[in-house]
Amino acid sequence: MPVASRWHRGGAPKHNLHFRNEVESRTTLQELLLYSIFLIILCILSFGMVNPHMYYLNEVMSSLFLDTSVPGDERTNFKSICSIPDFWKFMEGPLLEGLYWDSWYSNSQLYNSKNSSRIYSENILLGVPRVRQLKVRNNTCKVYSSLQFLMSDCYAKYTSENEDISDFGLKVHTEWKYSTPNSNSPWHWGFVGVYGNGGYIFTLSKSKSETKNKFIKLQQNNWITRGTRVIFIDFTLYNANVNLFCIIRLVAEFPATGGILTSWQFYSVKLLIYVSYYDYFIAFCEIIFLILFTLFLIQEGNKMKEFKFAYFKRIWNWLELLLLVLCFLTIFFNLFCKIQIFLLLEQLLKRTEEYSDFYLLAHWRIFYNNMLAIIVFFAWIKIFKFISFNNTMSQLSSTLSCCIKDIVGFAIMFFIILLAYAQLGFLVFGSQVDDFSTFQNSIFAQFRIILGDFNFAAIQQENRILGPIYFITFIFFIVFVLLNMFLAIINYTYSEVQDDYSLGRRPSFKLGEMIKKSYNNVLKKLKLKKPQEDEDNKSRKNKDLAEQARRKGFDENEIQSAEQMKKWKERLQKKYYSTEIQDDYQPVTQQEFRDLFLYAVELEKELHYISLKLNRVMRKVSALSY
């Protein structure tokens, strides 16, 4: 039995190699086209959930409830509340006037206002607003023994362990009795604490006068006590003109230090999904997105089955897996949101005399939009996988892949110094300067200093010695030393990659060449381009490469050797083809390339010497045979 050749033992037949190369090229092009469709559908879905009307509705409502001043005091509004009397003035003034609109500007009745209130005559108030407070118990902290003769009461900050659940005041209605929390509603993350649900709750009336009397009665009976830590004002609006729900939450926190800290949340979301023809188009795109996700899932499964552990050696495969996981979570959460909206929305809309809690639905919808935004970000990052057809982008990707180890080492050193300065700033300036009030703020303050957005006068006023020293040394080490070191790493690597590219050292397989080849074939079939033009373009390209190499300082011998090596490489690629997984292209340095040329020259000399010896031996053998 004849011995099998090298190709029949471990590889494919020679006549099939070129065909397999063409098949892989076509598969890559198909993958690019399919991914382009996926990216377009993803962008349609993401931008279909957001429109400019959301911002305009939030802006109008914030202007009405946050910027409207208290009657008789133009400097006091919800943002500037700092005491309990100011809070009650806001409740009886801007809040009431903003919630109860019963006439047009000419005092004409445009609608029946018995069952609802229409803010700005366009936004209907769903149900009635709700006011809720959370309290802490007395003696939840200890007073130092030497100061107990001055004060005996002590109210700590809000925690679930310190929460007060006992009845107080008049003890006759829900505003004086503790209501158990709803486990479905999310907790609220405020400035000084994370607050649970439940508490002491009362809802406003449909009548403006009754609501005002309610506020007066609560104020007279001291509904806000020393143990009060937070008050929530929740209500929901619906604008049929733009089909948007606006869920509003005004928050007043009462920290243990005294005073009031105000915050707010305005969520404009689209809960009635399938109303217009465009909404049905979005539903059609969702079905296509689901089909494409299934195709990508099968494709990646086949790759993992074929390459096994080698599949996880490429960073692009990890990005593929991340996108698939995020897409799966988004599809699951989108279905969950649709089911919850279908089950809860109709019940909430029927509660015209009660508070309708749309906050949970809005929270889910906002979370879904955030997940979709993250997917869009990583989907655009994946475009870099297909940028090899551009010379500049190919050099950029090669530069980053070559210097990734140096960048990681630099990043470790950079963040060590950054965290050291953040702790220094927090400990020295944290009690006086807002930018350093917390350790997290101190970290972000460092980046603001790098970008030039920083208040130097504040730290100088806090500490006239350490303030300037801190600022000057930070600028010197971070801006002048470390950032320039980072740029030097990038520049040095980029110059090496450019040198390799100028000598023709490029990735062996480029999608751009395949696209260009297909484009030229189409032009030839349409008789819009002559075959001779390809040869002219190729020769012109070779001349440009040679000219770039001369500019880099290479002599003519090196350039000619590089051109000869390139021809040999192209000849071998046509003859042989490797089916193994290739790692990312790693360009060699200029010195390594020159060493390779010297080795090739020596090898050529040795081969020439061996050839001469063989010729002499053959002549002697021929002479003896005669």
Side-chain angles (χ1 to χ4, degrees):
M1 182 176 180
V3 180
S5 65
R6 178 174 64 90
W7 291 105
H8 289 83
R9 287 197 306 266
K14 294 182 179 179
H15 63 275
N16 291 333
L17 294 176
H18 181 69
F19 174 75
R20 296 182 65 175
N21 191 5
E22 292 293 333
V23 170
E24 182 175 345
S25 301
R26 294 174 185 173
T27 303
T28 306
L29 182 58
Q30 292 174 1
E31 181 182 354
L32 175 60
L33 295 177
L34 189 63
Y35 186 76
S36 300
I37 297 174
F38 169 79
L39 188 60
I40 293 173
I41 295 297
L42 186 60
C43 291
I44 293 175
L45 291 178
S46 59
F47 288 101
M49 300 297 172
V50 182
N51 60 71
H53 297 296
M54 294 180 175
Y55 170 77
Y56 298 141
L57 183 58
N58 290 341
E59 187 70 15
V60 168
M61 292 299 109
S62 63
S63 176
L64 177 62
F65 292 102
L66 302 180
D67 299 330
T68 303
S69 301
V70 173
D73 188 358
E74 297 297 329
R75 296 177 298 178
T76 303
N77 52 31
F78 183 77
K79 294 180 179 179
S80 61
I81 291 175
C82 59
S83 63
I84 296 177
D86 291 341
F87 177 81
W88 286 116
K89 289 179 182 179
F90 167 79
M91 298 288 284
E92 298 174 9
L95 182 64
L96 278 182
E97 298 297 330
L99 289 175
Y100 297 94
W101 292 56
D102 50 10
S103 64
W104 189 236
Y105 68 94
S106 58
N107 293 325
S108 58
Q109 292 290 121
L110 296 181
Y111 52 85
N112 184 7
S113 60
K114 292 182 180 180
N115 295 325
S116 63
S117 174
R118 300 199 178 185
I119 300 173
Y120 284 121
S121 302
E122 302 293 343
N123 306 282
I124 184 172
L125 180 64
L126 300 178
V128 292
R130 182 187 70 178
V131 180
R132 176 171 66 96
Q133 78 158 313
L134 296 174
K135 301 172 55 181
V136 295
R137 302 186 308 275
N138 188 12
N139 297 324
T140 49
C141 51
K142 294 182 179 181
V143 180
Y144 188 64
S145 58
S146 299
L147 298 176
Q148 290 181 354
F149 72 97
L150 295 176
M151 59 182 302
S152 58
D153 298 334
C154 185
Y155 295 86
K157 66 178 183 179
Y158 175 83
T159 60
S160 58
E161 294 79 9
N162 297 336
E163 185 176 3
D164 187 4
I165 59 174
S166 60
D167 300 341
F168 74 106
L170 301 180
K171 301 181 181 181
V172 291
H173 299 292
T174 56
E175 59 265 28
W176 307 102
K177 296 182 178 181
Y178 184 82
S179 300
T180 57
N182 183 3
S183 59
N184 294 327
S185 298
W187 285 42
H188 181 86
W189 191 0
F191 284 129
V192 295
V194 180
Y195 306 100
N197 306 300
Y200 303 90
I201 304 171
F202 72 92
T203 56
L204 306 187
S205 173
K206 291 287 186 180
S207 172
K208 181 178 179 179
S209 58
E210 292 181 4
T211 301
K212 187 173 184 178
N213 293 332
K214 184 78 170 180
F215 287 160
I216 295 174
K217 183 178 179 181
L218 293 174
Q219 183 178 5
Q220 292 176 348
N221 291 277
N222 297 324
W223 186 68
I224 301 177
T225 65
R226 287 187 59 192
T228 300
R229 286 294 171 260
V230 65
I231 296 178
F232 298 95
I233 305 171
D234 298 305
F235 54 96
T236 303
L237 310 173
Y238 175 69
N239 190 306
N241 301 332
V242 293
N243 188 26
L244 290 177
F245 290 80
C246 185
I247 294 87
I248 301 176
R249 168 168 286 184
L250 306 179
V251 184
E253 295 182 74
F254 298 76
T257 58
I260 299 178
L261 300 176
T262 58
S263 59
W264 49 88
Q265 291 178 343
F266 292 85
Y267 293 148
S268 291
V269 294
K270 187 176 182 180
L271 298 180
L272 298 176
I273 303 174
Y274 304 118
V275 177
S276 62
Y277 291 109
Y278 181 73
D279 296 334
Y280 289 104
F281 172 71
I282 295 295
F284 175 72
C285 292
E286 290 177 346
I287 296 175
I288 297 179
F289 178 81
L290 182 60
I291 296 174
L292 292 176
F293 167 75
T294 305
L295 292 177
F296 288 141
L297 190 63
I298 296 174
Q299 180 181 355
E300 294 304 313
N302 292 333
K303 288 182 180 179
M304 294 177 65
K305 183 178 179 181
E306 179 180 358
F307 301 125
K308 296 181 175 58
F309 293 105
Y311 174 86
F312 299 97
K313 295 182 179 180
R314 293 176 59 89
I315 188 173
W316 294 115
N317 294 335
W318 284 99
L319 181 60
E320 292 278 3
L321 293 178
L322 177 62
L323 278 174
L324 290 176
V325 171
L326 291 175
C327 289
F328 173 77
L329 294 177
T330 302
I331 293 172
F332 173 79
F333 199 77
N334 186 27
L335 294 175
F336 174 76
C337 289
K338 284 181 170 59
I339 294 174
Q340 293 297 324
I341 291 173
F342 176 78
L343 296 176
L344 300 178
L345 185 60
E346 186 175 357
Q347 299 178 6
L348 294 174
L349 293 176
K350 291 180 180 179
R351 299 177 181 177
T352 57
E353 301 296 331
E354 302 176 6
Y355 168 72
S356 299
D357 190 3
F358 288 86
Y359 187 81
L360 183 60
L361 296 179
H363 181 78
W364 289 337
R365 202 65 185 174
I366 294 296
F367 186 74
Y368 167 72
N369 291 343
N370 293 339
M371 291 183 62
L372 202 59
I374 295 175
I375 292 178
V376 171
F377 172 78
F378 284 108
W380 279 105
I381 293 298
K382 187 185 171 182
I383 291 295
F384 284 95
K385 181 181 179 181
F386 305 101
I387 63 175
S388 59
F389 57 85
N390 183 275
N391 187 33
T392 303
M393 299 305 295
S394 180
Q395 291 183 23
L396 176 62
S397 60
S398 299
T399 301
L400 295 178
S401 62
C402 288
C403 65
I404 187 65
K405 295 181 179 179
D406 295 331
I407 291 178
V408 170
F410 167 81
I412 295 174
M413 179 175 59
F414 176 81
F415 282 105
I416 288 175
I417 298 178
L418 190 75
L419 292 176
Y421 271 99
Q423 293 185 12
L424 175 63
F426 172 65
L427 296 175
V428 176
F429 315 114
S431 62
Q432 299 293 331
V433 183
D434 179 63
D435 292 336
F436 298 90
S437 57
T438 63
F439 183 68
Q440 294 83 353
N441 290 346
S442 299
I443 294 176
F444 288 106
Q446 316 305 312
F447 292 101
R448 293 179 57 189
I449 295 176
I450 296 174
L451 298 175
D453 180 20
F454 185 70
N455 186 8
F456 171 73
I459 63 173
Q460 185 183 28
Q461 184 178 2
E462 163 60 17
N463 196 313
R464 295 186 179 275
I465 298 177
L466 292 180
I469 293 176
Y470 169 85
F471 183 78
I472 293 173
T473 56
F474 180 84
I475 292 296
F476 176 78
F477 286 110
I478 298 295
V479 179
F480 293 157
V481 177
L482 292 182
L483 290 185
N484 283 287
M485 185 184 300
F486 174 76
L487 295 176
I489 294 173
I490 299 295
N491 290 332
Y492 178 76
T493 309
Y494 183 72
S495 63
E496 287 189 338
V497 172
Q498 272 193 324
D499 291 342
D500 293 330
Y501 273 61
S502 64
L503 288 174
R505 295 280 300 178
R506 285 177 169 79
S508 58
F509 173 73
K510 293 195 299 181
L511 184 62
E513 295 179 358
M514 180 189 58
I515 297 176
K516 186 177 180 180
K517 182 178 179 181
S518 302
Y519 172 74
N520 292 331
N521 291 335
V522 172
L523 292 180
K524 291 176 184 178
K525 291 181 180 179
L526 297 176
K527 297 181 179 180
L528 297 177
K529 184 177 181 179
K530 297 180 180 179
Q532 184 62 28
E533 294 182 10
D534 293 337
E535 299 296 332
D536 296 339
N537 294 333
K538 187 175 181 180
S539 62
R540 191 183 304 110
K541 185 177 181 182
N542 293 334
K543 292 180 180 179
D544 293 338
L545 291 175
E547 182 63 27
Q548 292 178 8
R550 292 187 183 95
R551 294 175 183 175
K552 293 294 181 179
F554 297 97
D555 56 31
E556 292 296 333
N557 293 330
E558 290 176 333
I559 295 174
Q560 292 177 3
S561 300
E563 292 176 352
Q564 185 65 28
M565 289 287 291
K566 186 177 180 182
K567 292 179 181 178
W568 292 343
K569 180 181 177 182
E570 291 176 353
R571 193 182 306 116
L572 291 174
Q573 284 179 342
K574 290 180 181 179
K575 188 175 181 181
Y576 303 110
Y577 176 71
S578 177
T579 58
E580 298 177 359
I581 300 176
Q582 299 294 334
D583 293 333
D584 291 337
Y585 170 63
Q586 298 290 338
V588 298
T589 63
Q590 181 179 348
Q591 184 62 35
E592 291 173 345
F593 204 71
R594 290 180 177 178
D595 294 340
L596 179 62
F597 273 117
L598 294 175
Y599 179 79
V601 170
E602 296 296 329
L603 182 62
E604 185 179 4
K605 291 179 180 179
E606 293 292 330
L607 290 175
H608 182 67
Y609 177 73
I610 293 173
S611 178
L612 291 176
K613 276 197 164 187
L614 288 174
N615 290 332
R616 292 175 183 175
V617 171
M618 293 299 298
R619 284 197 297 267
K620 290 181 179 180
V621 171
S622 299
L624 291 175
S625 62
Y626 289 105

